[in-house]
Amino acid sequence: MKKYSLLYLSIVIVIFSCKENLQEQGSEKEIKFFPVEVNHEEIPLGDNIYAIVGVSLFDGLSESTIENSTVIVRNGLIDEVGPKEEIEIPENATVIEGDSLTLMPGLVDAHFHYDHVNHFPTKFVRNGVTSVRDPGQWIEAFDFERETGDPLPRLFLTGPHIDMPPPSWPKDSYMVRDKAEVKEAMDYLFSQNVSAIKIYQNLPLGLIKEVTDIAHSKGLPVTAHLEITDVRQAVLAGLDGVEHITSLGTALVSKRKAEAFRQKMMADNKSRISGRLEMWKDIDVNGKKADSLIKFFEKHQTFLTPTLGPYEYIIEEDKTDSTALIAFQHMSEFIGRCAKANVRIAVGSHGPWVPYAKKGWSYQHEMDLLSKTGMGNGAIMKASTLENAKFLKIDHRLGSIEKGKQADLLLISGNPTENIRDMYNIERVMLNGIWLE
């Protein structure tokens, strides 16, 4: 049945819109925003009843599992959750025995990049990634995938990222030069029903504030790939999230080093590839600047999506770059410190552009890299589900296993809270109440 739960979404939206759109929070007002995936009409809605019985349940609400649990899915929604002995199995339910399996919410990818050649959206959803945010791609780019009829994750898209000339990625950018052009760009993106706004590195601080002010007036979150702007100033200008560990570099070195890096990049964008590694090689991840930045992130509760995968480096016979190796080690150590300090870490795969990940498995690879930083497995799983859903503003219907939420579920052989590499052991994926084949 090629039909989405529009009725359910309508009910949710009506319920929330019946409340005041503006809720007082001190002297500020928060606009409620409930993004809808661009392919919502193309995702079939399940109309069966399933009982997943006696499973080890990771519900996304905590960082541990609840043994011997039962979950009932009815018509695409989670209908009941509880101990096996307390849940009555409906007579017409299809029963799935959960012995030796872990049930968890579908993974939410906060930083996915599209690659039409290898059909990565389909590979990702079959590997458990049921929702993705592509931060910086024209929405039309996904038309081919959407027309194939293959199963796709829920597509939460930002449209092209907003950048200033000269663009870092011309094909993926919307160029602006002043406030008037920012307004024009934002009007266009709003008309495309984007789920967030993505800022790219050349945008100056004043225009970053202009973007965030306009976006927040509509309730949309704003995230950014920085590098030549001090991350603290950008967050104070209104950012809700920061993409890539490399966006933090200029805040962790001396002002002189940061300015030298900025000037090099502004003269030649390609210089960032080696320049950011040289900068991270010299960063003291246990120094005062690191301490200060971690406290800043903790205070402001800004989401940080490290995307460690693209920067991973392993010394091999033909790869002997010690700068890249030490830089990656420092990045990992810094993220480990962030995790211990309760900085809000989001999980992003970076799509297929990850050198050491198996094709289609870069999300699980990122989870593995986060585990190696010292971040707890349960915390990584919660970040991958409910916390990422909060970042995307879809946690009212996705990201955890609770009564009334949409049934995007994974059955995994083993227990990833004990061994994060069990995330590769995907047995079954349910999207919108339907098991993918």
Side-chain angles (χ1 to χ4, degrees):
M1 182 176 64
K2 202 71 173 173
K3 179 183 176 185
Y4 182 78
S5 179
L6 284 174
L7 177 60
Y8 171 73
L9 272 180
S10 299
I11 291 171
V12 170
I13 293 169
V14 168
I15 288 172
F16 280 99
S17 61
C18 286
K19 299 179 180 180
E20 291 185 0
N21 284 334
L22 300 180
Q23 293 191 344
E24 295 289 344
Q25 289 192 348
S27 61
E28 297 181 356
K29 294 180 179 179
E30 180 186 6
I31 308 276
K32 291 295 182 182
F33 171 67
F34 303 102
V36 176
E37 53 273 45
V38 298
N39 59 334
H40 65 272
E41 293 182 343
E42 300 146 27
I43 302 175
L45 172 66
D47 56 4
N48 294 321
I49 302 174
Y50 295 100
I52 305 168
V53 179
V55 75
S56 177
L57 175 66
F58 182 88
D59 59 13
L61 300 171
S62 71
E63 297 180 6
S64 58
T65 54
I66 306 169
E67 301 305 313
N68 210 27
S69 297
T70 290
V71 174
I72 307 296
V73 174
R74 187 189 301 267
N75 298 329
L77 299 179
I78 297 165
D79 190 51
E80 290 186 77
V81 183
K84 178 181 177 180
E85 62 273 12
E86 295 181 10
I87 301 293
E88 184 176 345
I89 308 301
E91 290 185 5
N92 55 344
T94 300
V95 176
I96 294 99
E97 295 294 339
D99 184 45
S100 77
L101 298 176
T102 297
L103 181 71
M104 68 177 290
L107 300 171
V108 179
D109 191 341
H111 191 111
F112 172 88
H113 284 301
Y114 176 53
D115 171 23
H116 70 278
V117 175
N118 294 292
H119 303 288
F120 272 89
T122 292
K123 292 184 191 309
F124 269 53
V125 74
R126 292 190 185 282
N127 291 340
V129 181
T130 54
S131 294
V132 302
R133 174 193 277 168
D134 189 312
Q137 181 64 264
W138 295 86
I139 290 173
E140 299 93 323
F142 282 86
D143 286 351
F144 173 78
E145 296 291 342
R146 295 170 65 186
E147 291 167 2
T148 63
D150 293 334
L152 300 177
R154 301 179 191 272
L155 300 174
F156 296 95
L157 308 181
T158 69
H161 50 242
I162 299 177
D163 203 0
M164 196 169 188
S168 302
W169 299 97
K171 292 183 180 179
D172 303 331
S173 302
Y174 195 122
M175 292 286 92
V176 300
R177 294 167 295 179
D178 55 29
K179 289 185 177 182
E181 290 189 349
V182 166
K183 176 65 165 58
E184 181 182 37
M186 296 295 280
D187 286 345
Y188 167 75
L189 293 172
F190 292 153
S191 75
Q192 297 298 295
N193 296 316
V194 298
S195 64
I197 301 296
K198 165 77 174 298
I199 288 168
Y200 217 73
Q201 62 193 19
N202 292 322
L203 207 67
L205 195 57
L207 294 188
I208 289 175
K209 188 174 189 312
E210 186 73 9
V211 169
T212 59
D213 285 350
I214 296 173
H216 291 164
S217 74
K218 301 284 189 179
L220 268 73
V222 182
T223 191
H225 179 152
L226 300 170
E227 288 194 304
I228 60 175
T229 299
D230 187 291
V231 66
R232 287 164 297 203
Q233 297 304 315
V235 168
L236 292 174
L239 285 188
D240 302 287
V242 178
E243 307 296 318
H244 305 299
I245 180 68
T246 54
S247 289
L248 312 184
T250 51
L252 293 168
V253 296
S254 70
K255 185 62 81 173
R256 182 179 181 180
K257 283 187 177 180
E259 183 59 22
F261 175 72
R262 289 179 74 246
Q263 291 186 25
K264 265 189 172 182
M265 270 195 59
M266 293 170 81
D268 178 12
N269 179 59
K270 292 180 181 179
S271 70
R272 68 175 172 154
I273 296 172
S274 60
R276 62 193 179 192
L277 297 180
E278 291 167 2
M279 188 160 48
W280 271 94
K281 176 179 177 290
D282 295 332
I283 284 173
D284 181 358
V285 295
N286 295 303
K288 290 182 180 180
K289 285 186 176 292
D291 293 344
S292 174
L293 187 59
I294 289 169
K295 288 177 182 177
F296 178 87
F297 267 95
E298 191 173 15
K299 175 183 176 181
H300 291 276
Q301 289 294 285
T302 308
F303 283 96
L304 172 60
T305 311
T307 63
L308 291 172
Y311 312 111
E312 184 181 11
Y313 194 86
I314 299 173
I315 295 290
E316 298 172 331
E317 288 185 5
D318 59 337
K319 294 182 178 180
T320 58
D321 188 344
S322 60
T323 294
L325 177 65
I326 296 170
F328 176 68
Q329 290 171 344
H330 287 173
M331 293 175 191
S332 298
E333 290 170 21
F334 183 81
I335 292 303
R337 289 199 61 198
C338 288
K340 290 177 183 177
N342 295 316
V343 172
R344 300 187 82 173
I345 293 177
V347 184
S349 69
H350 207 245
W353 317 117
V354 179
Y356 298 103
K358 296 178 182 177
K359 287 186 178 180
W361 292 100
S362 53
Y363 194 94
Q364 281 82 351
H365 187 77
E366 183 72 12
M367 296 176 80
D368 195 16
L369 290 178
L370 288 171
S371 181
K372 290 175 181 177
T373 71
M375 187 174 179
N377 293 345
I380 295 167
M381 293 168 67
K382 186 175 180 181
S384 302
T385 52
L386 186 58
E387 286 300 303
N388 271 8
K390 289 179 180 178
F391 187 19
L392 271 64
K393 291 183 176 284
I394 56 175
D395 56 296
H396 60 290
R397 60 186 176 98
L398 294 163
S400 60
I401 300 178
E402 298 179 83
K403 181 178 175 63
K405 287 197 171 183
Q406 291 171 277
D408 288 4
L409 305 172
L410 308 183
L411 271 174
I412 297 168
S413 177
N415 186 347
T417 63
E418 297 176 358
N419 181 0
I420 199 66
R421 291 191 63 82
D422 282 349
M423 286 302 309
Y424 287 92
N425 302 333
I426 305 291
E427 293 290 326
R428 302 189 78 173
V429 177
M430 177 179 282
L431 180 65
N432 218 29
I434 295 177
W435 294 111
L436 299 185
E437 297 181 358

